[in-house]
PDB file of all heavy atoms in Angstrom:
ATOM      1  N   THR A  80      -5.956  20.282  26.604  1.00  0.00           N
ATOM      2  CA  THR A  80      -5.590  21.530  27.260  1.00  0.00           C
ATOM      3  C   THR A  80      -6.023  22.712  26.398  1.00  0.00           C
ATOM      4  O   THR A  80      -6.279  22.535  25.198  1.00  0.00           O
ATOM      5  CB  THR A  80      -4.072  21.599  27.471  1.00  0.00           C
ATOM      6  OG1 THR A  80      -3.424  21.656  26.181  1.00  0.00           O
ATOM      7  CG2 THR A  80      -3.556  20.367  28.235  1.00  0.00           C
ATOM      8  N   PRO A  81      -6.117  23.930  26.965  1.00  0.00           N
ATOM      9  CA  PRO A  81      -6.444  25.090  26.137  1.00  0.00           C
ATOM     10  C   PRO A  81      -5.539  25.252  24.934  1.00  0.00           C
ATOM     11  O   PRO A  81      -5.960  25.617  23.844  1.00  0.00           O
ATOM     12  CB  PRO A  81      -6.316  26.239  27.113  1.00  0.00           C
ATOM     13  CG  PRO A  81      -6.656  25.634  28.439  1.00  0.00           C
ATOM     14  CD  PRO A  81      -6.053  24.249  28.400  1.00  0.00           C
ATOM     15  N   ARG A  82      -4.241  24.977  25.124  1.00  0.00           N
ATOM     16  CA  ARG A  82      -3.289  25.108  24.014  1.00  0.00           C
ATOM     17  C   ARG A  82      -3.570  24.068  22.919  1.00  0.00           C
ATOM     18  O   ARG A  82      -3.524  24.396  21.723  1.00  0.00           O
ATOM     19  CB  ARG A  82      -1.862  24.938  24.523  1.00  0.00           C
ATOM     20  CG  ARG A  82      -0.804  25.057  23.433  1.00  0.00           C
ATOM     21  CD  ARG A  82       0.596  25.008  24.001  1.00  0.00           C
ATOM     22  NE  ARG A  82       0.894  26.234  24.772  1.00  0.00           N
ATOM     23  CZ  ARG A  82       2.079  26.514  25.282  1.00  0.00           C
ATOM     24  NH1 ARG A  82       3.070  25.658  25.155  1.00  0.00           N
ATOM     25  NH2 ARG A  82       2.235  27.635  25.960  1.00  0.00           N
ATOM     26  N   GLN A  83      -3.905  22.838  23.326  1.00  0.00           N
ATOM     27  CA  GLN A  83      -4.226  21.804  22.347  1.00  0.00           C
ATOM     28  C   GLN A  83      -5.517  22.158  21.614  1.00  0.00           C
ATOM     29  O   GLN A  83      -5.619  21.983  20.385  1.00  0.00           O
ATOM     30  CB  GLN A  83      -4.402  20.446  23.056  1.00  0.00           C
ATOM     31  CG  GLN A  83      -3.088  19.852  23.524  1.00  0.00           C
ATOM     32  CD  GLN A  83      -3.301  18.573  24.351  1.00  0.00           C
ATOM     33  OE1 GLN A  83      -4.218  18.517  25.149  1.00  0.00           O
ATOM     34  NE2 GLN A  83      -2.452  17.591  24.147  1.00  0.00           N
ATOM     35  N   LEU A  84      -6.523  22.648  22.312  1.00  0.00           N
ATOM     36  CA  LEU A  84      -7.774  23.043  21.683  1.00  0.00           C
ATOM     37  C   LEU A  84      -7.532  24.165  20.672  1.00  0.00           C
ATOM     38  O   LEU A  84      -8.122  24.177  19.573  1.00  0.00           O
ATOM     39  CB  LEU A  84      -8.804  23.486  22.732  1.00  0.00           C
ATOM     40  CG  LEU A  84      -9.523  22.393  23.499  1.00  0.00           C
ATOM     41  CD1 LEU A  84     -10.427  23.021  24.557  1.00  0.00           C
ATOM     42  CD2 LEU A  84     -10.348  21.532  22.547  1.00  0.00           C
ATOM     43  N   ASP A  85      -6.710  25.132  21.051  1.00  0.00           N
ATOM     44  CA  ASP A  85      -6.419  26.230  20.160  1.00  0.00           C
ATOM     45  C   ASP A  85      -5.752  25.735  18.884  1.00  0.00           C
ATOM     46  O   ASP A  85      -6.079  26.175  17.751  1.00  0.00           O
ATOM     47  CB  ASP A  85      -5.510  27.254  20.858  1.00  0.00           C
ATOM     48  CG  ASP A  85      -5.282  28.495  20.038  1.00  0.00           C
ATOM     49  OD1 ASP A  85      -6.281  29.140  19.629  1.00  0.00           O
ATOM     50  OD2 ASP A  85      -4.117  28.858  19.805  1.00  0.00           O
ATOM     51  N   ALA A  86      -4.839  24.782  19.037  1.00  0.00           N
ATOM     52  CA  ALA A  86      -4.147  24.235  17.864  1.00  0.00           C
ATOM     53  C   ALA A  86      -5.124  23.477  16.940  1.00  0.00           C
ATOM     54  O   ALA A  86      -5.029  23.593  15.720  1.00  0.00           O
ATOM     55  CB  ALA A  86      -3.024  23.286  18.310  1.00  0.00           C
ATOM     56  N   ILE A  87      -6.053  22.722  17.547  1.00  0.00           N
ATOM     57  CA  ILE A  87      -7.039  21.982  16.756  1.00  0.00           C
ATOM     58  C   ILE A  87      -7.955  22.958  16.049  1.00  0.00           C
ATOM     59  O   ILE A  87      -8.275  22.784  14.841  1.00  0.00           O
ATOM     60  CB  ILE A  87      -7.846  21.035  17.656  1.00  0.00           C
ATOM     61  CG1 ILE A  87      -7.005  19.856  18.106  1.00  0.00           C
ATOM     62  CG2 ILE A  87      -9.117  20.535  16.939  1.00  0.00           C
ATOM     63  CD1 ILE A  87      -6.568  18.919  17.002  1.00  0.00           C
ATOM     64  N   ARG A  88      -8.427  23.977  16.736  1.00  0.00           N
ATOM     65  CA  ARG A  88      -9.382  24.908  16.140  1.00  0.00           C
ATOM     66  C   ARG A  88      -8.783  25.702  14.984  1.00  0.00           C
ATOM     67  O   ARG A  88      -9.510  26.158  14.079  1.00  0.00           O
ATOM     68  CB  ARG A  88      -9.935  25.845  17.197  1.00  0.00           C
ATOM     69  CG  ARG A  88     -10.938  25.139  18.113  1.00  0.00           C
ATOM     70  CD  ARG A  88     -11.313  25.931  19.338  1.00  0.00           C
ATOM     71  NE  ARG A  88     -12.339  25.219  20.118  1.00  0.00           N
ATOM     72  CZ  ARG A  88     -12.576  25.430  21.402  1.00  0.00           C
ATOM     73  NH1 ARG A  88     -11.851  26.340  22.058  1.00  0.00           N
ATOM     74  NH2 ARG A  88     -13.510  24.763  22.032  1.00  0.00           N
ATOM     75  N   LYS A  89      -7.470  25.866  14.969  1.00  0.00           N
ATOM     76  CA  LYS A  89      -6.830  26.516  13.832  1.00  0.00           C
ATOM     77  C   LYS A  89      -6.836  25.653  12.602  1.00  0.00           C
ATOM     78  O   LYS A  89      -6.630  26.157  11.478  1.00  0.00           O
ATOM     79  CB  LYS A  89      -5.382  26.866  14.198  1.00  0.00           C
ATOM     80  CG  LYS A  89      -5.237  28.023  15.172  1.00  0.00           C
ATOM     81  CD  LYS A  89      -3.795  28.294  15.515  1.00  0.00           C
ATOM     82  CE  LYS A  89      -3.686  29.401  16.536  1.00  0.00           C
ATOM     83  NZ  LYS A  89      -2.261  29.665  16.904  1.00  0.00           N
ATOM     84  N   GLN A  90      -7.108  24.354  12.759  1.00  0.00           N
ATOM     85  CA  GLN A  90      -7.139  23.445  11.638  1.00  0.00           C
ATOM     86  C   GLN A  90      -8.604  23.092  11.228  1.00  0.00           C
ATOM     87  O   GLN A  90      -8.807  22.265  10.373  1.00  0.00           O
ATOM     88  CB  GLN A  90      -6.403  22.143  12.004  1.00  0.00           C
ATOM     89  CG  GLN A  90      -4.949  22.387  12.340  1.00  0.00           C
ATOM     90  CD  GLN A  90      -4.259  21.131  12.816  1.00  0.00           C
ATOM     91  OE1 GLN A  90      -4.109  20.150  12.071  1.00  0.00           O
ATOM     92  NE2 GLN A  90      -3.836  21.108  14.066  1.00  0.00           N
ATOM     93  N   ILE A  91      -9.547  23.795  11.833  1.00  0.00           N
ATOM     94  CA  ILE A  91     -10.986  23.528  11.581  1.00  0.00           C
ATOM     95  C   ILE A  91     -11.626  24.805  11.019  1.00  0.00           C
ATOM     96  O   ILE A  91     -11.404  25.897  11.565  1.00  0.00           O
ATOM     97  CB  ILE A  91     -11.698  23.106  12.865  1.00  0.00           C
ATOM     98  CG1 ILE A  91     -11.253  21.702  13.276  1.00  0.00           C
ATOM     99  CG2 ILE A  91     -13.212  23.136  12.694  1.00  0.00           C
ATOM    100  CD1 ILE A  91     -11.849  21.238  14.593  1.00  0.00           C
ATOM    101  N   GLY A  92     -12.422  24.649   9.987  1.00  0.00           N
ATOM    102  CA  GLY A  92     -13.248  25.750   9.486  1.00  0.00           C
ATOM    103  C   GLY A  92     -14.704  25.387   9.684  1.00  0.00           C
ATOM    104  O   GLY A  92     -15.081  24.231   9.523  1.00  0.00           O
TER     105      GLY A  92
END
Side-chain angles (χ1 to χ4, degrees):
T80 65
R82 179 174 292 185
Q83 288 173 320
L84 282 176
D85 186 56
I87 288 294
R88 285 169 177 159
K89 287 179 182 178
Q90 301 174 64
I91 289 176

